[in-house]
Amino acid sequence: MKLFIDNRTPFFNPYYFQTMCVLYFPGEKFPPKDDASTNAAYFLLEKVGSDNTSFYKAKVRLESGGRFGEAEFTTDGYVPVIEADDEFFAALAVGKAFLKAGKQLFGFSLPWGYLTGLRPVKRAKYYLEKGYGADAVRRLFTDDYSVSPQKAELSVNTALREIDMLTGIDSNACGLYISIPFCPTRCEYCSFVSYANKKLFSLIPEYIVKLKSDIIKTAALIKELGFKLTAIYIGGGTPSMLENSRLSDLLGCVYSSFDFSDLREYSFEAGRPDTVTAEKLNLIKSYGVTRISINPQSTSERVLKRIGRMHTVGQFFEAAEIAKKAGFACVNADLIAGLPGDSEEGFAKSLDDVMALDFENITVHTLSIKNAAELRFDPETLYDPAGETAKKCVAYAYDKLTAGGYYPYYLYRQKNTVGNAENTGYAKAGYENLYNVLMMEECSTVFACGAGAITKIVSPDKERIERIAFPKYPFEYLYPSEKQTLSGIGEDTIRRFFQEEGLKSL
Ligand code: SF4
């Protein structure tokens, strides 16, 4: 889309305006890919007046298909819920003008207001920890950020849960992620890097050998740096697609390499029900895994076919029964709202089916179409920013799950999500997934091993974060090109980071 910016403040770079635009114009490119596009946005942002009496003024015009919406907002006399600085007022002026113009043009409001590029729960947590009450933070979201009352409540309740969860977590706690980027087949909505091609499965033996070597190095580094391993997550891909002997080899390596005495949880994704057998789950459990995910995404046979997920609803229920019998402390299921071919009633049935299984942990995602997903080629399923069905589904999930004794404990948003909705993890009290929170809230170091995995190192004061990414694809992970400069598991960078942090505290 065409973007015209007259920004007379020093705060915002063009990227801020672009990320705001995609809330109403998902998937747009800047500059436009298609010169004939009728989508355009005009922004003016300026500070008016001298120091004591100054305020911000924004004008926004949005155009699409020969129609337009236009609005203006000034912060003159505006009293924010919290103490605010110039940057906050400037964002507020442009954000509110943008939302008014968008509502005028498209006829619907955005559930998360103009919040973009900010993690809502991190934001809520920040103010709660600064001493603002839950009510003030809720009003900050609704009044200043123009977030809907339900999303404000969701953010604050999730933040309160996270604060509880993180109380008592040691400052030297860390997490570990192990990536198995292979799947039996590829689901059409998927944008993860995962090999789902029989030819490429021949790389699995080599992949496991390299992965085990990285796991052993990581264990040594964790010990050397004095970290306590608190949460392990084996994800992908579909780790449960590995043959039992290979799985045993991998899990045995994890078991013998790390000190489990501080471990609070050990999660394993058996995401695809068609990979689950009683023998496999018993084997996984015998290596200390406490939490397992079995993901139906929907319990409608028709929807599963539509999204190219090659398992049946019956296989999900069978896998759920096997998981229950295996005796894991926590079983999780993922559902997706906004799937093509699904309806509000269909989603409600899927959620009710999963709740009837009495799983401890249920994650409700919203469909997000990224470039790597096959569905993006299908005009029928292209991203819909209004996404009324998806919005109703996630609202239903919030009401139903919270009434059923589940609490939201982690939440994240992605670009290009149907209905601008979110992804929320719900759990019964005591069954939250700590790894997800450590990772999402960037409050502890998380080491990672395997293709596509990213180690996130966090300074003791949480002010500094560095990311060390492994090559994205299994092939590159095994045979890195000269351009891929990551040496080993990035131990030199990690050591340097903590040496600098140690020196800072002297
Ligand atoms: S099982 Fe999961 S990771 Fe694998 S293709 Fe399907 S959605 Fe993607």
Side-chain angles (χ1 to χ4, degrees):
M1 73 185 284
K2 293 164 195 136
L3 184 61
F4 303 90
I5 302 167
D6 184 358
N7 177 20
R8 301 175 195 172
T9 78
F11 311 122
F12 301 118
N13 66 30
Y15 186 69
Y16 178 82
F17 297 96
Q18 289 177 17
T19 54
M20 197 177 283
C21 282
V22 293
L23 295 174
Y24 267 119
F25 297 91
E28 284 291 353
K29 299 277 173 271
F30 307 90
K33 268 196 157 175
D34 168 15
D35 278 345
S37 168
T38 61
N39 293 343
Y42 302 78
F43 289 93
L44 166 71
L45 177 61
E46 62 181 337
K47 191 172 186 175
V48 180
S50 58
D51 271 358
N52 284 339
T53 54
S54 65
F55 58 89
Y56 284 90
K57 179 172 149 187
K59 277 186 184 177
V60 178
R61 179 182 166 97
L62 303 177
E63 296 177 355
S64 182
R67 296 174 54 243
F68 71 91
E70 208 167 40
E72 192 176 309
F73 193 90
T74 81
T75 59
D76 191 14
Y78 189 92
V79 182
V81 176
I82 51 142
E83 213 175 294
D85 57 13
D86 266 14
E87 200 169 334
F88 184 94
F89 276 115
L92 187 125
V94 75
K96 293 217 178 235
F98 172 79
L99 292 180
K100 272 165 97 179
K103 173 94 194 284
Q104 219 182 79
L105 174 59
F106 295 106
F108 65 89
S109 307
L110 301 174
W112 287 97
Y114 63 89
L115 265 189
T116 173
L118 290 176
R119 292 165 195 239
V121 177
K122 203 170 181 176
R123 201 76 187 159
K125 210 150 112 314
Y126 172 81
Y127 287 110
L128 289 166
E129 286 175 339
K130 269 192 120 184
Y132 289 96
D135 199 43
V137 182
R138 244 177 252 122
R139 280 191 296 111
L140 160 74
F141 273 66
T142 53
D143 299 3
D144 293 348
Y145 292 137
S146 303
V147 168
S148 77
Q150 197 196 41
K151 300 303 177 205
E153 186 182 309
L154 174 64
S155 306
V156 171
N157 289 351
T158 308
L160 288 169
R161 203 78 198 158
E162 282 190 3
I163 290 170
D164 262 6
M165 281 177 72
L166 295 170
T167 306
I169 294 287
D170 239 299
S171 58
N172 57 352
C174 73
L176 171 70
Y177 179 77
I178 296 172
S179 164
I180 309 288
F182 296 92
C183 287
T185 55
R186 186 141 184 102
C187 310
E188 285 182 23
Y189 61 88
C190 182
S191 47
F192 289 113
V193 169
S194 184
Y195 282 175
N197 172 317
K198 288 213 168 67
K199 252 191 182 167
L200 294 168
F201 293 165
S202 61
L203 290 174
I204 292 178
E206 273 177 274
Y207 183 82
I208 297 294
V209 170
K210 165 103 168 80
L211 189 60
K212 277 170 48 190
S213 145
D214 284 351
I215 287 169
I216 292 166
K217 285 185 205 156
T218 303
L221 189 61
I222 286 180
K223 196 168 169 199
E224 175 193 322
L225 296 172
F227 278 109
K228 289 181 178 173
L229 183 60
T230 310
I232 303 177
Y233 196 104
I234 302 189
T238 306
S240 51
M241 77 162 276
L242 297 179
E243 287 165 14
N244 287 1
S245 58
R246 203 150 274 132
L247 208 47
S248 186
D249 189 22
L250 173 70
L251 296 177
C253 172
V254 175
Y255 193 76
S256 59
S257 304
F258 292 96
D259 176 2
F260 274 29
S261 50
D262 294 296
L263 196 67
R264 292 207 184 184
E265 67 178 35
Y266 187 171
S267 301
F268 187 99
E269 267 188 49
R272 285 278 292 265
D274 48 337
T275 60
V276 170
T277 64
E279 200 189 347
K280 187 164 282 182
L281 293 201
N282 289 332
L283 183 144
I284 292 167
K285 184 156 184 295
S286 73
Y287 284 101
V289 170
T290 56
R291 179 186 185 266
I292 195 139
S293 289
I294 314 259
N295 302 327
Q297 313 303 7
S298 164
T299 60
S300 155
E301 212 72 74
R302 194 179 40 78
V303 173
L304 291 183
K305 278 213 176 76
R306 177 71 186 79
I307 59 173
R309 208 166 150 91
M310 306 299 271
H311 63 78
T312 63
V313 175
Q315 280 174 316
F316 164 65
F317 286 116
E318 276 163 36
E321 205 182 311
I322 295 172
K324 281 276 170 191
K325 276 201 189 130
F328 289 97
C330 177
V331 185
N332 157 265
D334 285 3
L335 290 172
I336 302 179
L339 285 172
D342 206 0
S343 61
E344 216 181 315
E345 297 73 32
F347 175 84
K349 182 184 171 298
S350 298
L351 181 66
D352 295 352
D353 284 345
V354 172
M355 286 180 77
L357 294 168
D358 205 25
F359 280 7
E360 289 76 16
N361 193 299
I362 298 174
T363 311
V364 178
H365 292 105
T366 307
L367 183 68
S368 166
I369 297 293
K370 294 190 190 146
N371 277 344
E374 287 177 29
L375 275 181
R376 79 185 198 282
F377 297 115
D378 181 349
E380 213 195 297
T381 56
L382 273 179
Y383 170 83
D384 168 15
E388 289 307 329
T389 304
K391 276 197 265 195
K392 284 181 189 154
C393 291
V394 294
Y396 174 82
Y398 179 76
D399 290 342
K400 182 86 186 185
L401 285 161
T402 50
Y406 292 81
Y407 300 88
Y409 72 94
Y410 100 107
L411 178 159
Y412 66 99
R413 296 174 63 211
Q414 288 172 292
K415 264 198 274 175
N416 294 347
T417 300
V418 179
N420 271 300
E422 63 286 341
N423 306 303
T424 308
Y426 294 89
K428 293 182 184 174
Y431 295 98
E432 300 85 357
N433 185 249
L434 180 64
Y435 169 83
N436 282 336
V437 174
L438 296 182
M439 190 63 183
M440 203 52 67
E441 295 308 311
E442 300 176 325
C443 49
S444 288
T445 290
V446 176
F447 293 89
C449 297
I454 298 175
T455 290
K456 243 187 218 181
I457 40 180
V458 181
S459 63
D461 62 6
K462 327 269 186 250
E463 295 290 326
R464 189 174 156 213
I465 297 170
E466 262 184 48
R467 289 170 181 76
I468 300 159
F470 282 87
K472 235 177 166 183
Y473 297 93
F475 188 83
E476 297 174 339
Y477 173 68
L478 290 169
Y479 305 104
S481 67
E482 276 173 24
K483 270 202 276 166
Q484 283 149 349
T485 51
L486 177 69
S487 88
I489 52 165
E491 51 263 73
D492 295 345
T493 311
I494 297 170
R495 276 197 198 99
R496 199 178 321 115
F497 179 93
F498 287 110
Q499 268 160 13
E500 285 165 13
E501 286 303 315
L503 288 175
K504 239 169 59 183
S505 63
L506 288 178

